[in-house]
Amino acid sequence: MHACPVKCSPQEFIAQARAGDYQGAIKTINSNNPLGHTCGLICPEHFCVKACLRSKIDNPLNIPLIQATLLKMFRGSNDSVQHFATNGKKIAIIGAGPAGLAAAWQMLQLGYTIKIFEKSSSVGGALNLIPPSRLPHAAIDDDWNYIRQMGKADIIYDCKIDNPLELLKEYSGVIMAIGEQNVVNLGVKGEEYITPYTEYLRYPHRFMDKAKVVIIGGGNVAADCAVTAHNLGAKQVTMLVRRQISNLRIDKKELFNLIDKGINIIPNTRVVKVTKTDDSIELKTCSTCIDEGRCLDIPNSEINRGKVDLIVKAIGSVAETPIEHEKIIYAGDCKIGGSTVVEAIASGIDSAKLLHSRLIDEEKEIA
Ligand SMILES: Cc1cc2nc3c(=O)[nH]c(=O)nc-3n(C[C@H](O)[C@H](O)[C@H](O)COP(=O)(O)OP(=O)(O)OC[C@H]3O[C@@H](n4cnc5c(N)ncnc54)[C@H](O)[C@@H]3O)c2cc1C
């Protein structure tokens, strides 16, 4: 429980499930984590799994999968969704990703009416970029259906908010859960020939005919790009990683999955130049080394890696500069930086509590 950013207690819900109290187990999960189904499918191992005491005997339990399975099997029949009376106040949330949905869940419990403004046409934010083989969209829908039943909450799709200050005319407060919308540039010559991961993962069918694919990056996003390329039928998929294999920001399970699929992972390598020829792209890299924690280029180590059909950059994104206003609260990746789904949820819940406390303080001052 202490290892979980939303303080969900695996000991409690597993004990309830073992005793056949499935509704109790669902209630335990739901009372801490509004996106328990989604989280259960993609939560990284370094939270509850790493802390599982069973690993002192043999192997840790796959706690996230137990959670997702319980919710998948029993939440539909769960009639214990709590409904909360409204307090007459309206809150606007910008972004229907995990942080925005979690903020909505917390605000509903405090009695607010919620309007979520989402610039895309689907719920889930960055989760929609995760290949369905790893995260079926039905899990996100299931979590959102659970949240929306608790009170008055809806999402306005295809609605980009450019000026949140405007919303304060109609809403008591605004939660900005807009993620990180700007893909990080490598800063190399020929950057324009490199495809951002957002475009690649959102429209994979546009890249069906690419035989030799290079992915730049060593985290979850890069791994998803590599698997997508493999699934689209690429003959050769290579991941170029600036640091060592031991620095990859993916679970062991995901690393084995990449190896099983024949994806070539080249560590200690940085792309220095990309050139476009008539029908393909050429790539030049240099070797890197780690010196006192810093990743440095090795002088005179540049090599030409020849022609490839597609290069995808998946080294992260950055957020926009925040607006300072006491009734505009930031949550999720746009506040804490590229994180994990469960950390974005925890941040969404905290932001809702903070906004509520500010509104209560304001009421007291007026009184
Ligand atoms: C490919 C990929 C794989 C990942 N794999 C994992 C994993 O295995 N495990 C894990 O824990 N995490 C993973 N993550 C990270 C996780 O998805 C994010 O940490 C999480 O989605 C962040 O949630 P958020 O709500 O802060 O932001 P987002 O999910 O980015 O949501 C922000 C939302 O705001 C909307 N928006 C932005 N600007 C506006 C505006 N002006 N007006 C209206 N709407 C707006 C966006 O359209 C989006 O829907 C992965 C991310 C990606 C991209």
Side-chain angles (χ1 to χ4, degrees), residues 38-75:
T38 302
C39 251
L41 295 175
I42 59 162
C43 218
E45 285 167 1
H46 58 261
F47 297 116
C48 60
V49 176
K50 192 173 171 201
C52 177
L53 291 178
R54 177 82 203 188
S55 55
K56 292 195 195 299
I57 303 168
D58 43 29
N59 293 305
L61 296 186
N62 191 341
I63 297 166
L65 192 57
I66 296 173
Q67 174 175 299
T69 307
L70 284 168
L71 289 171
K72 187 175 178 191
M73 290 179 71
F74 301 108
R75 184 147 76 181

Side-chain angles (χ1 to χ4, degrees), residues 41-44 47 94-101 117-120 122-131 134 159-162 176-181 197 201-202 220-222 224-225 320 331-335 337-345:
L41 295 175
I42 59 162
C43 218
F47 297 116
I94 322 296
L101 298 182
F117 298 91
E118 169 53 52
K119 72 174 179 181
S120 77
S122 50
V123 61
L127 301 174
N128 290 297
L129 298 178
I130 300 179
R134 206 156 71 80
C159 182
K160 181 170 186 281
I161 300 296
D162 291 319
M176 297 289 282
I178 54 177
E180 297 180 301
Q181 301 300 309
Y197 72 90
L201 292 174
R202 197 162 285 136
N220 269 321
V221 181
D224 280 343
C225 290
E320 275 148 37
D333 277 9
C334 66
K335 181 176 180 199
S339 65
T340 57
V341 64
V342 70
E343 288 167 298
I345 293 167

Side-chain angles (χ1 to χ4, degrees), residues 166-295:
E166 280 287 310
L167 291 170
L168 288 174
K169 291 178 189 158
E170 192 183 339
Y171 296 89
S172 303
V174 177
I175 290 178
M176 297 289 282
I178 54 177
E180 297 180 301
Q181 301 300 309
N182 311 304
V183 176
V184 171
N185 280 333
L186 295 161
V188 297
K189 225 172 169 192
E191 181 109 33
E192 62 274 28
Y193 306 120
I194 305 178
T195 305
Y197 72 90
T198 40
E199 187 183 338
Y200 187 57
L201 292 174
R202 197 162 285 136
Y203 311 108
H205 55 279
R206 290 185 189 167
F207 303 92
M208 299 285 276
D209 57 338
K210 308 296 180 193
K212 272 188 174 181
V213 179
V214 167
I215 312 290
I216 305 168
N220 269 321
V221 181
D224 280 343
C225 290
V227 171
T228 299
H230 172 85
N231 292 345
L232 289 175
K235 299 276 174 293
Q236 191 188 91
V237 184
T238 308
M239 277 174 75
L240 298 181
V241 184
R242 227 160 52 98
R243 289 178 173 256
Q244 292 142 310
I245 297 275
S246 56
N247 294 128
L248 287 177
R249 296 178 316 280
I250 54 176
D251 287 345
K252 231 187 265 168
K253 190 178 68 183
E254 190 59 28
L255 176 61
F256 291 152
N257 182 36
L258 295 172
I259 295 168
D260 283 350
K261 289 190 156 53
I263 289 157
N264 189 13
I265 306 172
I266 307 183
N268 297 103
T269 303
R270 187 174 78 79
V271 173
V272 288
K273 191 176 171 190
V274 172
T275 344
K276 177 103 173 88
T277 57
D278 284 346
D279 55 347
S280 59
I281 317 170
E282 271 186 44
L283 181 71
K284 198 182 241 187
T285 64
C286 74
S287 298
T288 64
C289 63
I290 306 295
D291 182 16
E292 292 181 356
R294 287 182 312 145
C295 186

